[in-house]
Amino acid sequence: CGFLLFSCIQDFHEDIINSLTSGIELFGKYKTVNFINSGKNKFQFIPDGCVTGFKTFCENNSINYQLVDSLTTKMINENEAYLVFAESDLIMLLKEAKIRNLKLGENLGIITYDDTPVKEVLANGITTISTDFYHMGKFAAECILNNRKEKVFNPFQLIKRNSL
């Protein structure tokens, strides 16, 4: 159809802050949290609000952090956590953890952006920060079925699993 009946809005800055804050207790075991901003190198869009929200979260909670444009195996360190957007970065972290005998959620932390069913089962569960795609789809269907035009903020959350 050629018209928009619904719009799910995201505030990336606040979504990142709020979701990470909901798991603040998980970050204490890591000396640094790394934001892997490799989207521009991998043709993946990472909104500026994600970067600024991450920085605000870390600064407000006195968490050491780094913004990294491109992940390499040499940058993967024990007792650090990594927020990744690209699946290839996730794979690199998992491979390197296996090679070095690092334990996810203990001496290596991983958070990925956007939840998928495979992240629920991969490596005993990968922690994600994600918009609620089920809610978004349900809302879209309701708008279409009821011919409503609305804008709403879509829920966003930290899904805690074993990798953090």
Side-chain angles (χ1 to χ4, degrees):
C1 64
F3 55 93
L4 182 64
L5 291 175
F6 69 95
S7 178
C8 287
I9 303 166
Q10 287 184 263
D11 181 341
F12 295 103
H13 181 88
E14 291 300 317
D15 286 346
I16 296 290
I17 293 170
N18 294 333
S19 63
L20 294 177
T21 299
S22 74
I24 187 70
E25 74 282 358
L26 300 171
F27 293 93
K29 58 187 142 183
Y30 303 107
K31 60 183 179 186
T32 303
V33 180
N34 299 280
F35 184 103
I36 310 304
N37 192 6
S38 59
K40 60 186 166 194
N41 300 326
K42 300 188 182 202
F43 304 105
Q44 179 176 358
F45 176 69
I46 300 174
D48 290 340
C50 290
V51 178
T52 60
F54 173 79
K55 287 172 60 176
T56 300
F57 164 76
C58 291
E59 290 168 0
N60 288 349
N61 293 287
S62 301
I63 294 172
N64 291 327
Y65 71 92
Q66 289 186 64
L67 301 175
V68 179
D69 286 335
S70 183
L71 184 65
T72 66
T73 57
K74 291 179 182 180
M75 296 175 171
I76 300 170
N77 298 307
E78 188 173 350
N79 299 318
E80 293 191 9
Y82 298 83
L83 171 55
V84 298
F85 290 76
E87 298 294 315
S88 57
D89 290 334
L90 172 60
I91 300 297
M92 183 188 305
L93 284 164
L94 293 174
K95 283 182 177 180
E96 200 62 22
K98 186 175 182 179
I99 290 167
R100 297 188 201 177
N101 278 334
L102 299 173
K103 302 264 186 217
L104 296 184
E106 291 179 26
N107 57 7
L108 181 72
I110 300 175
I111 311 166
T112 65
Y113 192 82
D114 284 342
D115 196 39
T116 62
V118 75
K119 291 174 183 172
E120 186 175 347
V121 297
L122 185 65
N124 294 320
I126 302 296
T127 299
T128 62
I129 53 176
S130 185
T131 195
D132 186 334
F133 292 107
Y134 175 80
H135 179 270
M136 185 185 298
K138 185 177 177 188
F139 175 73
E142 288 173 5
C143 286
I144 291 168
L145 290 173
N146 297 310
N147 199 28
R148 288 190 340 239
K149 293 183 180 183
E150 287 187 49
K151 288 183 179 182
V152 297
F153 281 95
N154 202 52
F156 193 93
Q157 64 185 335
L158 174 73
I159 301 170
K160 299 176 189 176
R161 297 193 180 112
N162 293 325
S163 70
L164 189 63

